[in-house]
Amino acid sequence: MSKPALGLLLGFEDTMADFVELAREGEAAGMDSMYTVEAGRSAFVSAAAVIAATDRATVGTYIANAYAREPWLTAIAARDLDEMSGGRFTLGLGTGNRHFNEWYMGIDEFRPLGKLRDYIEIVRSAVAGRAGEPVRYEGEHHRIRWRASWEPTRPSIPVYLSASGPKMVRLAGEVADGVGVGVMSSVEFMRDIVRPAAQQAASEAGRDPDGVGFLMGSFLSVNDDEELARNAAKATICGLFHPVPHPYYDSQLRQLGYAEFADAATRLMPEGQIREAIGLVPDEVVDTMTITGTPAQCAGRIADYSGLTAEIILFRVPQRTDPAGLAGYESLFEVVSLASA
């Protein structure tokens, strides 16, 4: 079984200059891809900056918020980025965090499955639209009547749907090029839950189940001191519950049998009882749902996903022993080198 390609999740650096330099360093270190997250920065503007700074790596959005822009605008942005990159762009889409949607944009999520079905169908048609070719779609939530003015850079752009719950995973198998799973994904979750559901849905929709792609994100907590790496991973996991809750990761924990911890973290973190919450993180969660440990241990964990996901997009967990700035990524690059050997 082939090892997963390795990507880097970008978007949390202090400055755009740091962001761009990190992309350059990641590519030079042998990383296969760079993905921009739509949180504190725009995923599309950031992706354009990364494309300009790199030559070889795949560049994608992981993920772009479908509630924040109409599908036509997303599609033409994807076409532009694919042209800029010479065919290196991958589009990751999802509903976004519902708290972000409500607090930051005042958007109420409504019938996400129906919306995303229409959205993905339109985007996939529009990104592949030939010059002068009509693109038509009439859905319950979205519609389009459009013709491209020029040829796309390539016949299609990979479009991945972010999913963690069973219904969205099935929808990804039906209409998207693949499933993009979040940063708390165990081997069991990918092997026994995500892959079978997406592939079954593809088959039922008359699509080739083997044609469904799988990407996943992962926390990477690496330290020469294994205990410090584990402590940092536990603190980061608890941070998913406050100050902004992340329902998708809560869902993944519950699907894998960790509802008791999820309930405790949901209660303790908003109360400021951080130390108590960290103490309740099951060791099994760190061992199976993150990539944590020494560089050699982390490289071994990456190998565990061989055959289950085409790519792992690494989200670095800062360590209190890390040097400041971009030098803190050297341990991540060491893991990449070991895992690629």
Side-chain angles (χ1 to χ4, degrees), residues 184-201:
M184 291 277 288
S185 303
S186 66
V187 166
E188 177 189 4
F189 190 65
M190 296 298 296
R191 182 192 64 215
D192 300 336
I193 298 176
V194 173
R195 288 181 64 92
Q199 290 178 327
Q200 181 182 4

Side-chain angles (χ1 to χ4, degrees), residues 110-310:
F110 59 93
R111 300 178 66 183
L113 291 171
K115 176 185 174 65
L116 266 294
R117 180 184 298 279
D118 287 353
Y119 203 103
I120 295 287
E121 294 280 15
I122 289 174
V123 167
R124 292 187 73 213
S125 297
V127 298
R130 303 288 304 276
E133 177 182 85
V135 176
R136 303 284 187 267
Y137 182 87
E138 289 283 341
E140 185 177 356
H141 300 280
H142 293 287
R143 64 183 184 274
I144 188 172
R145 292 174 54 85
W146 178 67
R147 293 175 190 265
S149 301
W150 56 87
E151 294 294 322
T153 298
R154 50 184 167 154
S156 64
I157 298 171
V159 180
Y160 284 78
L161 178 59
S162 175
S164 58
K167 293 180 180 179
M168 196 65 76
V169 168
R170 285 186 56 83
L171 180 62
E174 289 179 38
V175 302
D177 292 303
V179 187
V181 188
V183 294
M184 291 277 288
S185 303
S186 66
V187 166
E188 177 189 4
F189 190 65
M190 296 298 296
R191 182 192 64 215
D192 300 336
I193 298 176
V194 173
R195 288 181 64 92
Q199 290 178 327
Q200 181 182 4
S203 183
E204 292 173 357
R207 305 176 70 197
D208 178 6
D210 292 330
V212 179
F214 296 90
L215 306 181
M216 60 167 275
S218 181
F219 285 137
L220 175 71
S221 184
V222 57
N223 199 307
D224 289 331
D225 185 321
E226 181 186 355
E227 183 178 358
L228 292 181
R230 297 179 69 84
N231 290 342
K234 290 181 178 182
T236 299
I237 290 165
C238 289
L240 296 172
F241 290 86
H242 185 77
V244 179
H246 289 69
Y248 303 124
Y249 305 129
D250 178 274
S251 169
Q252 286 173 220
L253 285 162
R254 294 177 189 278
Q255 288 182 68
L256 290 167
Y258 300 109
E260 183 177 353
F261 163 68
D263 287 340
T266 299
R267 174 176 55 83
L268 292 171
M269 288 300 292
E271 295 175 352
Q273 299 185 54
I274 299 171
R275 191 176 300 275
E276 291 82 352
I278 290 173
L280 294 176
V281 178
D283 287 332
E284 294 86 353
V285 169
V286 176
D287 293 334
T288 63
M289 298 181 72
T290 72
I291 296 173
T292 293
T294 66
Q297 289 171 329
C298 289
R301 283 281 293 123
I302 287 169
D304 292 343
Y305 291 92
S306 297
L308 298 177
T309 181

Side-chain angles (χ1 to χ4, degrees), residues 12 45 64 67 156 282:
F12 301 94
V45 174
Y67 280 92
S156 64

Side-chain angles (χ1 to χ4, degrees), residues 24-104:
R24 289 195 188 99
E25 291 185 10
E27 185 176 62
M31 303 204 74
D32 301 290
S33 57
M34 307 287 152
Y35 286 87
T36 59
V37 61
E38 195 143 69
R41 299 185 184 275
S42 159
F44 288 107
V45 174
S46 299
V50 173
I51 285 167
T54 55
D55 299 308
R56 171 191 54 80
T58 296
V59 179
T61 56
Y62 209 79
I63 58 165
N65 190 327
Y67 280 92
R69 52 182 73 81
E70 291 300 305
W72 171 77
L73 190 60
T74 294
I76 62 170
R79 288 173 65 109
D80 287 345
L81 291 168
D82 204 48
E83 181 179 351
M84 289 175 62
S85 66
R88 291 188 287 132
F89 184 68
T90 293
L91 178 63
L93 288 169
T95 58
N97 185 320
R98 69 169 183 261
H99 300 287
F100 288 2
N101 291 347
E102 179 183 350
W103 298 347
Y104 301 172

